[in-house]
Amino acid sequence: MGPKPQLLDSKGRFMLRKSFKPTCLNETIKRIALFRFFRYLPRFPKASVCASCFFYLVVLSSLSSCSQQAREDQINLGGAQSSIPQPIQALIFKSRGEPNISEMIRDSFESFGIADVDRLNQDPTQDYCSKLAENVSAGGSLKKTDQNVVDSALFEKIRIQNQSLISFPRDSIYFGDYKRGESIAQDGRGKTWSDKADQENGGNCYNCHQLSKEELSYGSLGPSLYKYGVLRGVIDLKSFNELTHNSNPSPLVQYTWGVLVNSKAFNVCTVMPRFGVPVGVSHSEPTLKEQQLKDLMSLLLDPRSPVNQ
Amino acid sequence: MQLRFEEMMNTRRNALIKGTALSALLLESLMRAEDSFAYQQSAFDAKTVAELNKSLGLSVPLESSQISLLTPEIAENGAVVQVAATTTLANVRRWIFLVEKNPIPLVAIFNLTEDVLPSITARCKFAQTSDFIAYAQLADGRVYYNKKEVKVTLGGCGG
Amino acid sequence: MQSPVLRSNPPRPKRVALSWAVLIMIWISSLTTLQAQDTLAPNAKSLPAEGSSEKAIAEYRQMLQDENPADLYVLKGKALWDQARGPKQRALSNCDLGLGGGVFKGAWTQLPRYFEDTKSVQDLESRLLSCMQDIQGFNSGELVRSDFSNPERVNLSLLAAYVASESEGLPFKVPLSNAAELEMYRAGKKLFYYRAGTHDFSCSTCHSDDSRRIRLQDLPNLTTQAGAGFAYGSWPAYRLSTGSVWTMQQRLADCFRQQRFPKPIFASHATIALSVYMGVNANGAKAAAPGLKR
Amino acid sequence: MSDPMRIRLQSVAGVTTVKVLMSHEMESGQRRGEDGRIIPIWNIQDVSASWNGKVVMTAEWGGGISKNPFMQFAVKGTKPGDKISITWKDNRGDSRTDEVLVT
């Protein structure tokens, strides 16, 4: 018959499933931590109402996804995992230990153009998130049982590490030209082995996000950013000028800048690249230059930008 | 201008024509008069729809809803876009397929006999979002047209 | 002389009079058309109403699907299969793709698999490469080091398209019957989630969720049978953007390029491991190669 | 040397729909190569379709027809055993003829 409801941890040990409730709560708390930036918001009365609504939504969605997970796990307990046929699954669970892929990676890739094999060496963020994703995929339970993978202390350590890399513009000017921002958002080139080291890289934004209403060819890996500024209260030039001319950048400016520069400071394992900081153990040049980031800020927040029409 | 001329020359298949552009054009129109089946190079050199109409000696095309076009609303790749034209007009002798905003709008000419239905499907390149235009020329020389926009989008990862 | 469909040029003062003339002609011609419509038979066929972008793209693909230019390349691949070629001037007829010499109906749906003679797990392309070396005398090392535009590598893609086409409609049965295949599956899975490079991308960044798209292209969820079946099961495919047939090896190489990774070596273990992962996930789904891709 | 076309026929009540895929680069003459120079046009210019030896349709194509061209048209009054043949000629003087029988 099918395998016992056992799963491997990252070291290849068999793990028994534990109850779901405490870890779900744990997960919820972690999600709340992700949105700690909302603590800035009480300074803005309107925004804080929005923020608290959002906060409850986040908590609710966490709880519902936990119970969803529990349902799925119950199903899994009764039989094989859905995507892998039973006999194969049995084999997988018989095999001991995790395969060591570092040798395979070393033998399978070669440096080409500007893409050096160094890029394959993971930094702590990449290592952590790869393991997390792989284990989550194994039915969701490893995420909860393996303290080496989802250790809230490690999670927080990596997040803070990323946060510390964010630098703010030296001239305290956060905005550029939304038209240039639009072409950076459209541009999906840069950093591949067929690109040049000295070329200006693109932001790839439309690959994953809806931005302007006119561009129909947009991806859905990230949330829609259409009307990003308007929805956050930047409704006219007057409010935009308040944003741009304030010597203390508002939380909205800080947050938007922060996500563009290093998304991993907010959500450690987000699929969004870190555009404004060196990435990986080879510390490559940031993908986007400071001026390009400013142009993207304008694309998102300037009321004249196509994003806010 | 100089470059454009060179491009034009490149597209000429007839190596005999080595004179000035003017004599080349004259010679070619003479050849066309002699043999109506010859490839109409000057039409395939026309850079605008107006130039093309002139080059083919067409009467003013009239829009007709009797021409049905089947084209995709959005093309995820402008290199290959399937277009089809069919009509309830009688005595169609010729279909002329155009992509208005291409550097060379004329894509194809189909000369029909009474043995075939007035329905043609082909695949065209779209350099950018553009109207696809189909002319139906009748036996009496009258020309009707219909058009439909095809949006060409950026696809893939963009790299 | 002027057609009503004439595209307007940037306005110039001396053209104003002409523009008016054209406008009046358009007006007159539209009157004529309207009159004509009244007396004419109803329209032949109503066209689909405006829908979402996804629907429109699906419609675009549907138009091209039935007459896939890949079929032209399958014909070429078939001719190559039977042709005496290479330093040894022999045909590939006896090439063993896992079901015995010269048997290839269904062979592709059981690849990658472990081969005793090469003591390794091979995908379709690497197996064909072995045959080209052993039977025809080609230098496989040289072919591995060359790129996809090398004429013999192009031929390899055509052969792959032909072999795959012979399994059309058959369900995938990629084996996990020995330790080597199992290890490759497990390694492939790890590679699938391996984030690295300047953009922190892994395969799973784009391919582990349902109904995601990049720009307008749907991203198959390769962790599910449906997604892996659709993706793994339709390569080799004709790519409209390049006007050529790509195999899974080439698809993976370009994915890694976009992933900002260094270049995968042709037929390397990592690429085969990923194919084992996708192939096993696809098991049960029906083969649909050669496909048609953007 | 040119590669064979793939011609498929569908006959319904004496009307045969002819679907033709041709193997050709169809270089538009508009693209630039890596050296920045225009890649010369290379395209099928003339196409003709015959039904039992009689020309029923001709076509003139420019560089705007897609690579590996597809064309579909329909012949009226066909019967099983009729021969449909397609010929193309390109601007380099290459040509190709393929034929199929109505079933």
Side-chain angles (χ1 to χ4, degrees):
Chain A
M1 278 308 288
K4 291 253 161 65
Q6 285 174 326
L7 284 170
L8 292 169
D9 71 6
S10 68
K11 287 175 184 157
R13 295 173 304 199
F14 285 109
M15 297 293 298
L16 277 169
R17 279 167 197 264
K18 292 176 182 166
S19 65
F20 304 101
K21 218 174 172 185
T23 45
C24 274
L25 208 62
N26 194 13
E27 179 67 11
T28 309
I29 291 162
K30 250 177 273 141
R31 290 199 190 194
I32 293 166
L34 285 181
F35 292 91
R36 59 181 56 218
F37 60 90
F38 281 116
R39 69 167 179 239
Y40 293 114
L41 290 174
R43 287 188 221 159
F44 296 80
K46 264 188 207 163
S48 75
V49 173
C50 261
S52 43
C53 292
F54 193 32
F55 178 86
Y56 287 116
L57 272 177
V58 168
V59 174
L60 280 174
S61 72
S62 287
L63 290 172
S64 71
S65 72
C66 283
S67 55
Q68 173 69 28
Q69 189 60 60
R71 275 197 300 277
E72 281 167 11
D73 282 331
Q74 273 165 0
I75 293 162
N76 284 347
L77 284 169
Q81 276 171 266
S82 53
S83 64
I84 305 169
Q86 219 171 38
I88 292 159
Q89 196 195 28
L91 277 168
I92 291 166
F93 290 113
K94 263 184 228 153
S95 171
R96 276 201 211 119
E98 292 284 289
N100 183 356
I101 58 166
S102 54
E103 203 176 304
M104 181 185 273
I105 287 176
R106 201 185 56 222
D107 295 343
S108 295
F109 290 85
E110 58 187 355
S111 298
F112 194 76
I114 59 169
D116 201 86
V117 284
D118 271 5
R119 291 187 181 187
L120 292 169
N121 299 323
Q122 293 175 315
D123 71 7
T125 310
Q126 293 169 337
D127 177 52
Y128 173 85
C129 294
S130 301
K131 286 181 180 149
L132 178 69
E134 191 193 344
N135 292 342
V136 166
S137 77
S141 49
L142 283 193
K143 177 169 71 173
K144 293 160 195 153
T145 53
D146 186 358
Q147 292 303 304
N148 290 320
V149 173
V150 180
D151 180 304
S152 54
L154 180 56
F155 181 94
E156 191 56 11
K157 198 180 137 195
I158 290 173
R159 195 192 67 73
I160 288 171
Q161 219 169 33
N162 276 294
Q163 194 173 28
S164 70
L165 292 173
I166 297 176
S167 60
F168 295 97
R170 256 179 242 147
D171 56 6
S172 296
I173 296 169
Y174 286 81
F175 293 90
D177 174 357
Y178 67 83
K179 286 181 194 135
R180 283 202 305 259
E182 168 71 12
S183 52
I184 294 162
Q186 288 280 2
D187 190 352
R189 287 169 299 174
K191 297 272 189 184
T192 74
W193 73 58
S194 53
D195 292 311
K196 304 266 185 309
D198 55 358
Q199 80 184 55
E200 208 148 84
N201 301 318
N204 285 288
C205 311
Y206 277 104
N207 281 3
C208 302
H209 297 285
Q210 180 183 28
L211 286 139
S212 74
K213 201 167 59 182
E214 288 72 39
E215 182 54 85
L216 297 173
S217 182
Y218 59 85
S220 63
L221 287 160
S224 171
L225 300 174
Y226 177 52
K227 296 206 168 176
Y228 181 90
V230 175
L231 292 173
R232 286 161 182 78
V234 193
I235 46 166
D236 50 19
L237 271 178
K238 188 169 161 276
S239 50
F240 183 60
N241 283 336
E242 275 166 26
L243 270 194
T244 53
H245 289 104
N246 196 335
S247 53
N248 286 324
S250 75
L252 177 61
V253 169
Q254 284 193 38
Y255 168 68
T256 309
W257 178 264
V259 172
L260 287 171
V261 172
N262 190 351
S263 53
K264 267 74 176 178
F266 300 87
N267 180 355
V268 172
C269 293
T270 175
V271 295
M272 181 169 166
R274 297 171 271 183
F275 284 110
V277 294
V279 174
V281 293
S282 54
H283 297 294
S284 64
E285 275 285 295
T287 301
L288 296 179
K289 298 192 172 93
E290 192 174 276
Q291 184 56 49
Q292 292 180 294
L293 294 163
K294 292 179 178 182
D295 294 336
L296 289 175
M297 287 289 284
S298 291
L299 178 70
L300 290 170
L301 290 164
D302 193 318
R304 293 160 295 189
S305 148
V307 166
N308 291 312
Q309 301 314 309
Chain B
M1 257 342 270
Q2 190 57 38
L3 236 171
R4 269 200 163 175
F5 175 66
E6 278 168 20
E7 281 169 36
M8 268 167 61
M9 288 311 285
N10 267 338
T11 64
R12 286 180 202 292
R13 63 175 178 158
N14 197 333
L16 289 171
I17 305 168
K18 283 181 180 164
T20 64
L22 187 67
S23 72
L25 285 169
L26 275 173
L27 190 58
E28 213 164 85
S29 55
L30 276 174
M31 283 168 69
R32 203 169 67 225
E34 276 171 19
D35 180 4
S36 63
F37 289 109
Y39 189 68
Q40 299 175 73
Q41 185 63 59
S42 65
F44 285 102
D45 287 339
K47 303 272 195 287
T48 64
V49 174
E51 256 181 63
L52 169 69
N53 292 350
K54 197 175 164 191
S55 155
L56 290 173
L58 298 179
S59 64
V60 178
L62 301 176
E63 189 164 1
S64 168
S65 60
Q66 280 187 287
I67 297 173
S68 293
L69 304 181
L70 186 58
T71 58
E73 208 179 293
I74 300 178
E76 63 178 336
N77 196 318
V80 189
V81 180
Q82 184 158 309
V83 294
T86 185
T87 182
T88 50
L89 291 165
N91 296 318
V92 176
R93 285 290 159 269
R94 215 182 206 193
W95 278 111
I96 301 168
F97 283 6
L98 286 70
V99 176
E100 192 194 11
K101 288 185 185 163
N102 275 3
I104 304 288
L106 177 58
V107 172
I109 301 171
F110 296 91
N111 303 301
L112 314 183
T113 63
E114 281 160 350
D115 294 318
V116 295
L117 294 178
S119 305
I120 292 285
T121 305
R123 289 176 185 171
C124 317
K125 296 169 191 162
F126 277 65
Q128 56 179 305
T129 296
S130 168
D131 274 342
F132 167 71
I133 308 168
Y135 289 170
Q137 192 174 22
L138 309 188
D140 61 9
R142 275 183 301 163
V143 181
Y144 291 92
Y145 78 91
N146 207 343
K147 60 179 177 176
K148 222 170 153 216
E149 190 185 56
V150 177
K151 291 193 187 81
V152 175
T153 60
L154 283 171
C157 313
Chain C
M1 186 186 109
Q2 295 292 337
S3 111
V5 290
L6 174 70
R7 188 155 60 100
S8 61
N9 286 309
R12 285 179 208 166
K14 60 180 175 180
R15 294 211 171 165
V16 169
L18 188 61
S19 311
W20 274 110
V22 173
L23 278 172
I24 291 165
M25 284 174 76
I26 292 172
W27 180 63
I28 293 170
S29 68
S30 66
L31 283 183
T32 324
T33 321
L34 279 175
Q35 278 170 358
Q37 274 172 23
D38 290 340
T39 58
L40 294 170
N43 216 337
K45 188 184 170 188
S46 65
L47 298 166
E50 198 157 312
S52 66
S53 300
E54 277 105 336
K55 228 175 93 189
I57 292 281
E59 191 186 287
Y60 164 85
R61 282 187 206 142
Q62 193 49 49
M63 287 182 188
L64 302 173
Q65 207 75 48
D66 291 344
E67 295 289 326
N68 184 350
D71 294 350
L72 294 169
Y73 295 82
V74 168
L75 288 177
K76 292 185 202 181
K78 185 172 163 43
L80 281 170
W81 185 272
D82 297 322
Q83 195 184 325
R85 291 167 6 91
K88 294 188 190 167
Q89 280 299 299
R90 285 172 62 192
L92 282 175
S93 320
N94 274 325
C95 174
D96 178 8
L97 294 166
L99 302 180
V103 182
F104 46 79
K105 190 160 186 72
W108 175 57
T109 55
Q110 295 179 48
L111 286 172
R113 65 157 63 228
Y114 179 79
F115 286 89
E116 199 53 57
D117 58 347
T118 55
K119 297 265 181 290
S120 60
V121 176
Q122 294 185 289
D123 63 355
L124 174 57
E125 293 97 302
S126 61
R127 189 59 192 171
L128 284 169
L129 195 61
S130 293
C131 285
M132 285 168 74
Q133 174 175 270
D134 298 344
I135 299 172
Q136 300 180 311
F138 285 103
N139 181 335
S140 66
E142 221 167 73
L143 287 178
V144 163
R145 281 187 296 277
S146 63
D147 63 31
F148 287 101
S149 62
N150 174 300
E152 278 309 326
R153 284 274 291 274
V154 171
N155 284 340
L156 200 159
S157 298
L158 301 181
L159 288 164
Y162 167 54
V163 170
S165 75
E166 288 289 308
S167 292
E168 201 179 331
L170 299 175
F172 277 98
K173 287 187 279 182
V174 177
L176 275 188
S177 52
N178 63 40
E181 288 164 356
L182 189 62
E183 279 309 294
M184 286 297 260
Y185 177 85
R186 292 163 58 79
K189 183 174 183 185
K190 272 194 107 57
L191 281 164
F192 182 79
Y193 289 103
Y194 191 86
R195 297 183 76 163
T198 59
H199 285 48
D200 301 325
F201 289 154
S202 63
C203 308
S204 73
T205 303
C206 291
H207 294 289
S208 57
D209 267 320
D210 289 335
S211 39
R212 299 282 182 194
R213 50 179 233 215
I214 195 157
R215 287 281 187 169
L216 274 176
Q217 273 66 55
D218 294 322
L219 295 162
N221 180 352
L222 300 175
T223 66
T224 63
Q225 188 205 48
F230 172 77
Y232 188 73
S234 55
W235 295 94
Y238 182 76
R239 285 209 67 196
L240 297 166
S241 45
T242 58
S244 57
V245 163
W246 278 24
T247 61
M248 180 49 83
Q249 281 283 336
Q250 193 165 1
R251 173 63 275 174
L252 283 176
D254 205 55
C255 277
F256 278 125
R257 186 180 67 82
Q258 302 277 12
Q259 213 170 311
R260 275 74 184 175
F261 274 30
K263 200 174 199 175
I265 295 164
F266 183 70
S268 58
H269 284 137
T271 59
I272 294 170
L274 278 167
S275 276
V276 174
Y277 177 66
M278 289 186 284
V280 169
N281 288 350
N283 273 346
K286 286 197 171 108
L292 182 85
K293 308 282 178 179
R294 184 190 68 83
Chain D
M1 204 199 81
S2 49
D3 293 306
M5 291 175 233
R6 204 203 58 179
I7 308 173
R8 293 205 301 193
L9 304 181
Q10 276 171 348
S11 297
V12 178
V15 174
T16 296
T17 301
V18 185
K19 299 177 177 189
V20 191
L21 268 173
M22 305 171 188
S23 187
H24 202 283
E25 280 301 317
M26 297 303 286
E27 187 59 57
S28 67
Q30 302 290 332
R31 297 196 310 154
R32 287 177 192 277
E34 277 175 18
D35 56 2
R37 293 168 69 173
I38 297 261
I39 304 169
I41 190 165
W42 177 28
N43 68 320
I44 292 175
Q45 288 190 325
D46 297 299
V47 179
S48 82
S50 303
W51 172 33
N52 293 334
K54 176 187 172 198
V55 173
V56 289
M57 190 200 69
T58 64
E60 296 164 55
W61 289 356
I65 290 279
S66 304
K67 179 175 178 177
N68 294 318
F70 170 68
M71 171 181 78
Q72 179 180 320
F73 63 98
V75 186
K76 295 185 280 188
T78 57
K79 53 188 190 308
D82 284 358
K83 192 163 77 185
I84 304 282
S85 102
I86 311 286
T87 299
W88 60 252
K89 269 182 258 172
D90 74 11
N91 64 334
R92 290 187 184 173
D94 266 348
S95 68
R96 168 101 206 171
T97 301
D98 289 277
E99 54 186 44
V100 282
L101 298 180
V102 176
T103 52

